Amino acid sequence: MYLEDYKRWSEADLEDSALKEELETIKGNDEEIKDRFAVALKFGTAGLRGVLGAGSNRMNIYVVRQATQGLANWVKTQGGNQLVAISYDSRINSDVFAKTAACVLAANGIKVRIYDALMPVPALSFATRFYEANAGIMVTASHNPAKYNGYKAYGPDGCQMTDEAADIVYAEIQKTDILTGAKMMSFEEGIEAGMIAYVGDDCKEALYDAIKARSVRPGICETAGLKLVYSPLNGSGLVPVMRILKDIGITDITIVPEQQYPDGNFPTCPYPNPEIFEALRLGLELAEKSGADLMLATDPDADRVGIAMKCPDGSYELVSGNEVGVLLLDYICAGRIEKGTMPEKAVAVKSIVSTPLADAVAENYGVELRSVLTGFKWIGDQIAQLEAAGEVDRFIFGFEESYGYLAGPYVRDKDAIIGSMLICEMAAYYRSIGSSLKQRMEEIYDKYGRYLNKVDSFEFPGLSGMDKMSGIMDDLRKNPPKEIGGYSVVKVTDFKKPEETGLPAANVLIYKLEGGAEVIVRPSGTEPKIKTYFTTLGKDLAEAQAQKDTLAAALKPIFS
């Protein structure tokens, strides 16, 4: 079957000459042909994601057309405005794929609002809500390596698409011939017919206004003298992040020159991911030279933000997503109580794999902290529930350990623009009172205990990768460990059993160990890897780290 598909693609009059050339270079290479055609990229709640190239198992204009025709078929059953919002980041062909999607939608009689230049995930989520669209499309592969691209689909609420909607779209995709099944009109025709229009300045300005409205201490940055190094990691964060920071009064900003402008090749780092040191290395070097208070980086689609903070001895320390989440929760709670802007029955939300230190901080301030499944759409779902009850103002903050933050209901996905604003405001505030982020983090640890949260990942590439991952998870369920690294397992929570967790079913296992440590095992929803999350608690960092190392060593053979 895959050889027949390869032959059909090879004989087709493909519009993209690069795809034609690629097909010619793999002629006679069964393994390469099989890798591109034996399976198709599966559309799910996170949309599509894959390596750029020719074939049904790659990201290209034909896969995008097919996916968008499936989405269009679903939109046409939804009533409403019959409109879809589209944005895209700096990745290779992101602009091409975005316009391709617009052309398919327009040909199906569905109106399109598309950004006239690359803009990040939060801008797409906002535009979807602003225009009361039926759906949104964000062309991005987030922080994957440069050879990847993807297509995130959003529902009318600005959240990533629900399971039910994604299943319907996927069924429609499967009915659509990949090369000929999508309706098409040219982008110019769509503009002339009034089916395609650009996102207006009113929408763009409304996003910035909504973000600035969530400031905890307005005006603090104008006088604090914060010195910042910023990197958009060659992505979409440059324009919106710089706009917000300048609006709140931060003027001493040095941008990492090699990572300033959009470049889908991401030449300075293999993974444009603010979670890893290599992506932040150039920014750290610049911070050390300039003596900056803070180094900040956003990923290509600007939904995640990572930082390095200056310590009292002049060194710089990378701050984990959990630590930034806790710092922000603490800052927002303390600041809003001080300013009298804390709502009654305030609610914060975190993912189940994020640090329990946040629970302790929330309890200290009398804030209800809800834990939800991994994936920011579940945090968005909690905001939606509050909104439906007429209580959306109760939501003050949500975060995931994977460097995603949101403070406010104006979008329903993680937002590195507001994350950058609040991190800088927080750093400026502590600077203004003679303190620092580092000092505040140590005060939090002194008060609540020395938590350590670490994540290890095990990759399973290739066509057999998903089967291997599934086998490992099945075996852990059939043969649950009684101890890990010498620590007895006192409780196992299987999130495939919603009757026990009270949450929707998910492929996640949590092991509570004697002494309070915790290990979580879950396959990634977007990459071929299994992640293990460790929470340990010691009298100091060394003790917590030693326990983590023991637990990780005990688990490693299971994933090897």
Side-chain angles (χ1 to χ4, degrees):
M1 181 70 181
Y2 64 87
L3 290 173
E4 291 172 22
D5 288 340
Y6 168 72
K7 184 171 184 286
R8 183 174 174 236
W9 277 62
S10 296
E11 293 173 353
D13 183 20
L14 300 181
E15 293 170 41
D16 187 337
S17 59
L19 300 183
K20 198 85 173 169
E21 290 168 19
E22 182 182 337
L23 292 170
E24 189 62 34
T25 62
I26 62 170
K27 192 173 183 179
N29 188 330
D30 187 72
E31 200 58 39
E32 290 290 341
I33 293 170
K34 186 176 182 182
D35 188 42
R36 287 164 176 76
F37 290 94
V39 296
L41 292 179
K42 189 174 187 311
F43 186 95
T45 57
L48 300 164
R49 192 174 299 188
V51 174
L52 290 157
S56 57
N57 193 33
R58 294 288 189 271
M59 280 297 296
N60 52 67
I61 57 171
Y62 299 101
V63 166
V64 170
R65 287 179 184 179
Q66 183 190 40
T68 308
Q69 184 62 52
L71 181 72
N73 292 350
W74 173 76
V75 167
K76 284 189 279 190
T77 68
Q78 297 302 295
N81 285 338
Q82 293 292 286
L83 185 148
V84 175
I86 300 177
S87 190
Y88 57 95
D89 69 3
S90 62
R91 286 184 174 273
I92 296 164
N93 284 344
S94 279
D95 56 341
V96 174
F97 295 161
K99 286 187 174 181
T100 297
C103 293
V104 173
L105 291 163
N108 277 277
I110 297 166
K111 291 185 176 179
V112 173
R113 283 285 192 162
I114 186 169
Y115 279 96
D116 57 2
L118 72 170
M119 281 291 276
V121 159
L124 182 276
S125 179
F126 187 84
T128 303
R129 294 174 60 79
F130 184 87
Y131 290 112
E132 297 180 348
N134 296 82
I137 297 168
M138 178 72 200
V139 181
T140 178
S142 191
H143 54 276
N144 280 55
K147 65 181 180 179
Y148 284 81
N149 211 329
Y151 177 113
K152 289 182 183 176
Y154 288 75
D157 57 356
C159 262
Q160 285 192 39
M161 193 166 264
T162 63
D163 290 323
E164 295 77 17
D167 287 345
I168 295 168
V169 172
Y170 184 50
E172 293 296 327
I173 289 169
Q174 291 178 298
K175 295 177 193 172
T176 305
D177 184 275
I178 192 167
L179 295 181
T180 62
K183 295 179 182 177
M184 280 291 291
M185 69 165 57
S186 75
F187 193 80
E188 292 71 24
E189 283 179 303
I191 292 276
E192 285 173 15
M195 296 304 295
I196 300 173
Y198 290 112
V199 169
D201 287 341
D202 54 344
C203 178
K204 295 175 186 175
E205 290 303 315
L207 171 62
Y208 294 133
D209 289 345
I211 290 170
K212 286 180 285 190
R214 305 304 294 191
S215 171
V216 177
R217 291 183 171 91
I220 190 73
C221 296
E222 294 171 9
T223 55
L226 187 77
K227 193 178 178 70
L228 175 70
V229 168
Y230 169 56
S231 172
L233 294 178
N234 302 116
S236 62
L238 178 66
V239 169
V241 170
M242 289 297 290
R243 162 67 190 270
I244 282 292
L245 295 185
K246 287 185 175 175
D247 279 2
I248 65 169
I250 297 176
T251 55
D252 192 347
I253 306 172
T254 304
I255 301 173
V256 179
E258 301 92 335
Q259 298 172 337
Q260 180 168 357
Y261 296 112
D263 185 344
N265 292 299
F266 307 115
T268 63
C269 54
Y271 285 85
N273 183 351
E275 296 179 58
I276 62 171
F277 170 77
E278 187 57 31
L280 273 60
R281 181 177 56 81
L282 290 171
L284 278 166
E285 290 172 2
L286 204 52
E288 285 165 359
K289 283 180 192 168
S290 65
D293 300 292
L294 183 66
M295 188 265 151
L296 181 145
T298 53
D299 70 342
D301 59 347
D303 60 355
R304 300 171 194 241
V305 55
I307 69 169
M309 59 186 175
K310 188 177 185 181
C311 299
D313 64 1
S315 65
Y316 289 84
E317 183 179 312
L318 296 181
V319 191
S320 73
N322 274 313
E323 288 178 322
V324 172
V326 166
L327 280 166
L328 283 171
L329 177 63
D330 173 72
Y331 173 73
I332 291 167
C333 289
R336 293 190 70 163
I337 289 169
E338 177 195 316
K339 295 291 183 182
T341 56
M342 181 68 99
E344 286 187 31
K345 298 181 181 176
V347 172
V349 191
K350 72 173 181 67
S351 62
I352 56 173
V353 298
S354 300
T355 180
L357 176 54
D359 297 79
V361 171
E363 185 181 2
N364 177 68
Y365 289 107
V367 169
E368 178 189 350
L369 184 64
R370 300 178 181 178
S371 290
V372 296
L373 296 177
T374 306
F376 220 87
K377 67 177 181 178
W378 298 112
I379 295 176
D381 181 59
Q382 290 295 317
I383 302 172
Q385 288 181 35
L386 290 168
E387 187 172 53
E391 300 176 342
V392 75
D393 289 339
R394 289 175 61 195
F395 174 74
I396 59 167
F397 184 58
F399 83 98
E400 289 186 322
E401 54 74 40
S402 53
Y403 294 61
Y405 317 101
L406 177 63
Y410 59 93
V411 297
R412 298 296 157 85
D413 208 338
K414 47 191 177 284
D415 178 5
I417 312 173
I418 198 167
S420 299
M421 181 188 84
L422 287 174
I423 288 166
C424 289
E425 182 186 303
M426 175 171 64
Y429 168 69
Y430 290 130
R431 191 180 195 279
S432 74
I433 62 170
S435 183
S436 65
L437 291 178
K438 173 67 173 175
Q439 187 173 326
R440 184 59 191 158
M441 193 72 241
E442 292 305 321
E443 288 167 359
I444 289 170
Y445 282 137
D446 287 344
K447 181 169 184 172
Y448 302 103
R450 191 50 172 95
Y451 286 78
L452 178 70
N453 300 95
K454 293 285 186 180
V455 185
D456 290 348
S457 295
F458 300 89
E459 297 197 18
F460 298 88
L463 292 174
S464 63
M466 298 306 286
D467 290 337
K468 288 179 184 171
M469 289 164 59
S470 180
I472 288 169
M473 296 303 290
D474 286 347
D475 191 56
L476 283 170
R477 286 187 167 92
K478 288 173 189 168
N479 304 293
K482 292 183 172 57
E483 59 85 30
I484 300 174
Y487 294 89
S488 297
V489 176
V490 295
K491 185 183 179 186
V492 180
T493 304
D494 185 350
F495 280 79
K496 275 200 169 180
K497 300 175 179 176
E499 67 278 7
E500 293 180 14
T501 65
L503 296 172
N507 194 6
V508 181
L509 292 164
I510 297 184
Y511 302 97
K512 294 269 190 190
L513 309 180
E514 62 174 329
E518 184 177 271
V519 177
I520 303 174
V521 181
R522 66 172 280 270
S524 168
T526 55
E527 300 168 279
K529 59 175 64 170
I530 290 178
K531 293 184 173 183
T532 52
Y533 302 79
F534 300 90
T535 296
T536 54
L537 182 60
K539 64 178 184 292
D540 55 29
L541 178 59
E543 186 176 84
Q545 182 67 52
Q547 187 182 19
K548 184 269 168 184
D549 293 343
T550 299
L551 297 174
L555 285 174
K556 191 174 182 181
I558 295 172
F559 305 106
S560 300

